[in-house]
Amino acid sequence: EFLPWAAALGRSFKLSTVAQVADYPLTKLLTAIEQLEQRGIIRPSTSLGDEMGYDFAHDIVRQVVYTQLSEPRRQLVHLQIAQKLNQQLQQQQNNDDLASDIAHHAALGGDRALAVSAALTAAERGLKLFAYAEALELAQLGIGECQALDPQNRVLFHARLLRVCVLAGVKGDRATDIEKD
């Protein structure tokens, strides 16, 4: 029950995040973690800041768990992750740290509006932090997801995402495409 959520979150994950997005009781979560650690499937990680986190022992294990999910279930898992992270973001106000994760999971979960909004927020944050490559990647994700929005929102978000691309310093053929857009 626990592994699909962890696998959808990626190679590394925080216990609190898994508990939150999966609505998993803490006692059950700790039992699952203990069993998975003993079997060598996951291991403790300190790469996630001040909170205790875990990594999959091998990325192949994570990939196997992830690919065993049916496509509809995988989409629902990502959608729930995006929605729960978005709730957390709304409660924290002025903390855009989660926006890129929300954009990623919302896109995989099929929530185009949330994906575009979160991608724009994360891309603008990337510009503020001088993370231009990340800002550009997120802006391009948002532009791709914009096509499914209603015309009024599509134009608004598309223009704001193009602005991010310009400020991030697009080069080559992509610059010509953005100029046309």
Side-chain angles (χ1 to χ4, degrees):
E1 292 174 25
F2 164 80
L3 280 176
W5 295 98
L9 285 168
R11 181 165 169 76
S12 299
F13 54 91
K14 293 180 182 178
L15 291 181
S16 63
T17 304
V18 175
Q20 177 191 1
V21 299
D23 290 327
Y24 215 74
L26 188 58
T27 55
K28 204 171 177 182
L29 178 69
L30 294 174
T31 302
I33 289 292
E34 186 177 291
Q35 291 172 355
L36 292 169
E37 252 188 295
Q38 288 172 353
R39 291 186 173 101
I41 295 172
I42 61 172
R43 61 180 175 224
S45 168
T46 56
S47 63
L48 295 172
D50 55 354
E51 183 182 335
M52 180 66 167
Y54 283 86
D55 290 334
F56 278 88
H58 299 285
D59 201 43
I60 292 172
V61 173
R62 186 192 72 77
Q63 290 172 355
V64 167
V65 169
Y66 187 73
T67 56
Q68 284 181 344
L69 292 170
S70 67
E71 187 58 37
R73 179 150 186 237
R74 189 179 308 144
Q75 188 173 357
L76 285 172
V77 165
H78 283 293
L79 182 60
Q80 185 166 332
I81 290 170
Q83 290 170 343
K84 294 286 184 162
L85 292 178
N86 191 47
Q87 287 173 0
Q88 184 179 345
L89 179 67
Q90 300 305 318
Q91 292 169 353
Q92 291 178 354
Q93 293 180 357
N94 297 326
N95 182 357
D96 298 338
D97 291 350
L98 298 172
S100 63
D101 289 335
I102 295 167
H104 169 76
H105 291 292
L108 291 173
D111 187 338
R112 305 290 182 239
L114 181 56
V116 171
S117 175
L120 177 61
T121 300
E124 288 175 339
R125 181 177 188 271
L127 288 177
K128 290 177 191 173
L129 298 174
F130 304 105
Y132 297 126
E134 184 180 341
L136 185 57
E137 184 180 321
L138 288 159
Q140 289 173 339
L141 168 72
I143 289 169
E145 297 295 323
C146 267
Q147 305 315 311
L149 300 180
D150 64 88
Q152 183 177 356
N153 284 322
R154 181 176 58 236
V155 170
L156 175 68
F157 278 109
H158 197 151
R160 290 180 66 189
L161 289 162
L162 288 173
R163 178 183 172 276
V164 170
C165 290
V166 169
L167 294 174
V170 169
K171 297 178 183 151
D173 292 340
R174 186 66 183 129
T176 305
D177 293 342
I178 288 176
E179 186 176 345
K180 288 177 188 174
D181 284 351

